[in-house]
Amino acid sequence: MASVPSLATTVDQRVADALAAALPEAAGADPLLRRSDRADFQANGMLALAKKLKGNPRELAGQVVERLATGAGEPIAQVEVSGPGFLNITVSDEALVATLAARAEDSRLGVPYAPSPGTTVIDYSQPNVAKEMHVGHLRSTVIGDSVMRILEHSGEKVIRRHHIGDWGTQFGMLTQYLIENPHELDHESDAAGTGEAGEAAMARLNRVYKASRALFDSDEAFKARARDRVVPLQSGDKETLDLWHKIVDESKIYFRAVYDQLDVEIRDEDVVGESAYNDDLQQVVKELESSGVAVRSDGALCVFFDDVKGPDGSPTPLIVQKSNGGFGYAATDLAAIRDRIGNLHADTLLYVVDVRQALHFRMVFETAQRAGWLPEGAAKQLAFGTVLGEDGKPFKTRAGESVRLVDLLDEAVQRAEDVVREKARDLGEEEIAERAAQVGIGAVKYADLSNSMSRDYVFDLDRMVSLNGDTSVYLQYACARIHSILRKAGEAGPRAHAELPLAPAERALGLHLDEFAQTLATASQTYEPHRLTAYLYGLATLYSSFYEQCPVLKAEDPATVENRLFLCELTARTLHQGMELLGIRTPERL
């Protein structure tokens, strides 16, 4: 089905046409239409236009009103000039219900695809092999997953990339330890659930990492052998690579368990770590040096920037290759850009990375542009802030260590189970456990996504799982309440009645439902999931007012019952679709 134009779009076009008819030289001018608490919409464009043309804005507004068709059969029911030249516009109930009915007929709720979709590579959720995922990995994973969903829904081709830390000098230490202790990672196939298998895999990796680190720090001979092991690793020695693969595969078992608990899909083909670009690093160095983009300084290959200096005023370069011939993160990131633009033919590169890495990525992007690998403006860091404890400091354990992500998720689910159990009336134990996972994980995701990503936020589980306020639980219960009403409707079913007058709460709900498509378009264009969370919270709040003020099943006549059931069902579908794009479940019973 074709997309459904919103009433705002229809009204905007009507006002623009009337403005051009009143003042031909104003053809193409923006009426500056917006929602208003004085009417349904307010158009402010006459003020700026009249000022530009040295005219009277109120007179111009009056001329526009004369050319606007209003009344029966028209989308605009009423329009009046207000103040110095504003237009206060009220749409008809008939037009509002008809537009919503058209949305309800479409599986996408009338949401159009982006006019010019392209290809976006999004780099998010970058855990390190042989290390546990902690609270710091939460934001990259949750934000990246939601942005990916929103972009795909808009019609964009999205290529996911999980740039895991699976290369570097530490793997010389780990592989050398396994050569000398060959059975440390041996185990029977984990037949337990995903979570148990993941915990077991991480326990084995932790044991190997701690033992090898202790040996590395205490035994100079082992330290020398570990450092020497990096050379055969990087040159492709089969024995060393086999052990490296064993470490990576064990880590993937763990990663998969965490992602499964977080209800995020991470596909094997999307996990392309640092090692994938190892063979390209020498070519990166060759091209940068031959083009003059990078120069040798004290033996290292560096890229300098006029505006990047240290505290003493000396230049701080991007180091592509160290003086000992080794490569750092910059070389790998540059190789990844060459691959993503040159081989994957991406139009846009998105990096969901901690704001503290902003300077690094600015330097990497500029270097890639100077080298001709990256079109200007094609790469963007979606920089996110820090998860804070209730003391306002970075979220840590009492011992000062990073909080394990699995521990945080476990606690969220437990808190949610308490809430679900308290409210549950007809749920069995298995359903309570399932709902607790959906509510708890949803609460963690929503708390993150409802904040502007660049801001820090406080991790407060009590607030996150609250039934009141701007939380996912509030939205999930709103959705469940609607499904309960629909189940109780009996023979009555949802049906739009455009001929019926609407109560104020019905109008407010309907106008907000009609803004869903524009909200998604904005969230897609700006890569800001918090715009969608704000819309959904507003929708649930307006539905609550509608529920309190407008009896549904006990309405005065069958047509009104059907019309209100129609508004209920469309609200539930919109909440479900919006929450799905955030990666949050909306159970029909809670």
Side-chain angles (χ1 to χ4, degrees):
M1 181 178 173
S3 62
V4 179
S6 67
L7 278 175
T9 300
T10 300
V11 170
D12 185 88
Q13 188 59 56
R14 294 292 182 100
V15 176
D17 292 344
L19 181 56
L23 201 66
E25 59 266 43
D30 187 349
L32 299 179
L33 190 78
R34 61 178 178 83
R35 288 295 305 278
S36 171
D37 56 3
R38 303 287 182 93
D40 295 334
F41 300 99
Q42 187 175 85
N44 303 334
M46 277 55 69
L47 276 74
L49 188 59
K51 182 178 180 180
K52 179 180 178 181
L53 300 175
K54 297 183 170 52
N56 184 310
R58 193 171 174 86
E59 288 181 6
L60 176 58
Q63 294 172 22
V64 172
V65 170
E66 291 174 3
R67 290 162 174 80
L68 272 174
T70 60
E74 296 293 338
I76 298 176
Q78 181 182 337
V79 59
E80 62 178 18
V81 179
S82 174
F86 304 125
L87 293 184
N88 286 338
I89 301 167
T90 301
V91 298
S92 71
D93 291 346
E94 181 180 3
L96 176 54
V97 175
T99 298
L100 296 180
R103 292 199 179 285
E105 286 293 315
D106 181 30
S107 61
R108 289 175 55 84
L109 302 177
V111 175
Y113 289 103
S116 302
T119 298
T120 294
V121 173
I122 180 167
D123 186 327
Y124 66 104
S125 192
Q126 307 98 356
N128 292 312
V129 165
K131 293 184 180 179
E132 289 195 272
M133 293 178 69
H134 53 77
V135 68
H137 293 109
L138 175 67
R139 300 211 71 184
S140 179
T141 305
V142 170
I143 293 168
D145 183 61
S146 180
V147 171
M148 177 273 296
R149 289 168 179 263
I150 291 170
L151 289 176
E152 284 192 337
H153 193 70
S154 76
E156 184 82 354
K157 177 184 177 182
V158 181
I159 300 173
R160 315 173 202 184
R161 281 293 177 264
H162 307 294
H163 193 81
I164 64 173
D166 64 351
W167 205 243
T169 55
Q170 69 165 325
F171 290 98
M173 176 185 77
L174 291 169
T175 53
Q176 183 61 36
Y177 181 83
L178 289 179
I179 284 174
E180 299 175 14
N181 300 271
H183 301 296
E184 283 295 296
L185 288 181
D186 290 352
H187 60 91
E188 297 294 327
S189 177
D190 291 302
T194 307
E196 290 88 345
E199 283 289 298
M202 196 64 244
R204 288 188 289 271
L205 288 166
N206 272 336
R207 185 175 66 248
V208 168
Y209 188 88
K210 290 177 180 178
S212 62
R213 171 54 68 179
L215 202 56
F216 187 89
D217 292 339
S218 63
D219 187 332
E220 288 298 323
F222 176 79
K223 179 184 290 188
R225 293 195 301 274
R227 286 175 172 167
D228 290 343
R229 180 56 52 183
V230 175
V231 176
L233 173 65
Q234 293 183 339
S235 61
D237 173 70
K238 185 179 185 307
E239 180 187 20
T240 309
L241 277 181
D242 285 347
L243 291 171
W244 172 79
H245 278 296
K246 198 170 187 177
I247 296 167
V248 173
D249 290 344
E250 198 76 8
S251 293
K252 285 182 178 179
I253 294 172
Y254 164 71
F255 295 155
R256 199 172 294 115
V258 178
Y259 290 132
D260 185 63
Q261 186 176 11
L262 194 52
D263 200 14
V264 170
E265 180 189 45
I266 303 291
R267 304 175 305 197
D268 285 345
E269 62 265 31
D270 302 326
V271 179
V272 183
E274 296 171 359
S275 61
Y277 306 103
N278 188 54
D279 293 343
D280 300 329
L281 300 185
Q282 290 293 349
Q283 186 62 28
V284 166
V285 165
K286 181 180 178 181
E287 290 185 26
L288 289 177
E289 193 166 15
S290 64
S291 65
V293 171
V295 296
R296 293 287 171 181
S297 177
D298 295 328
L301 185 65
C302 303
V303 181
F304 289 91
F305 306 85
D306 292 338
D307 58 344
V308 182
K309 300 183 185 300
D312 61 354
S314 61
T316 300
L318 181 73
I319 300 175
V320 179
Q321 187 177 33
K322 302 172 187 177
S323 57
N324 65 1
F327 298 98
Y329 295 123
T332 304
D333 287 333
L334 288 166
I337 287 175
R338 289 174 78 250
D339 175 66
R340 293 166 184 181
I341 296 293
N343 297 326
L344 301 181
H345 308 295
D347 304 297
T348 305
L349 305 182
L350 300 178
Y351 292 78
V352 188
V353 184
D354 192 314
V355 68
R356 289 170 292 188
Q357 296 190 46
L359 178 60
H360 168 79
F361 277 98
R362 180 166 74 84
M363 295 165 77
V364 166
F365 295 161
E366 186 172 334
T367 297
Q369 288 172 15
R370 291 183 191 177
W373 302 331
L374 179 69
E376 186 174 355
K380 180 179 178 63
Q381 181 193 358
L382 304 186
F384 57 82
T386 304
V387 181
L388 306 176
E390 293 183 34
D391 58 0
K393 298 178 181 178
F395 199 29
K396 302 281 187 181
T397 65
R398 290 182 179 178
E401 299 173 350
S402 293
V403 177
R404 295 198 323 155
L405 185 52
V406 290
D407 291 341
L408 181 149
L409 298 179
D410 286 343
E411 186 176 357
V413 172
Q414 182 57 57
R415 298 280 188 95
E417 183 176 326
D418 295 340
V419 173
V420 172
R421 191 175 294 280
E422 181 182 338
K423 299 291 289 186
R425 294 292 181 268
D426 55 354
L427 299 181
E429 286 300 313
E430 187 175 335
E431 285 183 297
I432 288 175
E434 181 184 6
R435 300 297 186 272
Q438 294 171 341
V439 170
I441 300 304
V444 171
K445 289 183 176 183
Y446 187 89
D448 196 306
L449 296 171
S450 60
N451 289 276
S452 173
M453 69 178 71
S454 61
R455 291 176 51 195
D456 300 341
Y457 78 95
V458 174
F459 194 89
D460 181 352
L461 272 177
D462 287 333
R463 185 187 66 79
M464 290 178 185
V465 299
S466 172
L467 288 167
N468 302 309
D470 188 6
T471 67
S472 69
V473 193
Y474 178 70
L475 304 184
Q476 287 169 321
Y477 266 96
C479 207
R481 172 190 283 176
I482 296 172
H483 283 291
S484 176
I485 292 172
L486 294 173
R487 286 194 297 270
K488 294 175 182 177
E491 295 183 1
R495 183 184 169 201
H497 287 270
E499 75 280 2
L500 292 179
L502 298 177
E506 291 176 296
R507 285 184 58 83
L509 178 62
L511 285 165
H512 196 76
L513 284 166
D514 195 39
E515 293 178 0
F516 184 53
Q518 183 55 53
T519 300
L520 287 184
T522 301
S524 175
Q525 291 160 8
T526 61
Y527 313 118
E528 293 177 319
H530 76 271
R531 294 182 180 273
L532 177 55
T533 64
Y535 169 85
L536 295 173
Y537 176 59
L539 179 59
T541 302
L542 288 168
Y543 180 79
S544 180
S545 297
F546 159 81
Y547 178 79
E548 292 171 1
Q549 299 173 32
C550 303
V552 178
L553 300 180
K554 295 183 179 180
E556 55 271 22
D557 58 77
T560 302
V561 171
E562 291 178 342
N563 204 51
R564 289 178 179 173
L565 284 172
F566 162 73
L567 289 173
C568 287
E569 183 183 61
L570 186 56
T571 300
R573 288 178 60 193
T574 305
L575 283 171
H576 172 78
Q577 177 67 87
M579 295 286 269
E580 187 176 71
L581 294 176
L582 299 174
I584 299 174
R585 306 278 181 174
T586 49
E588 293 189 5
R589 296 202 313 165
L590 274 175

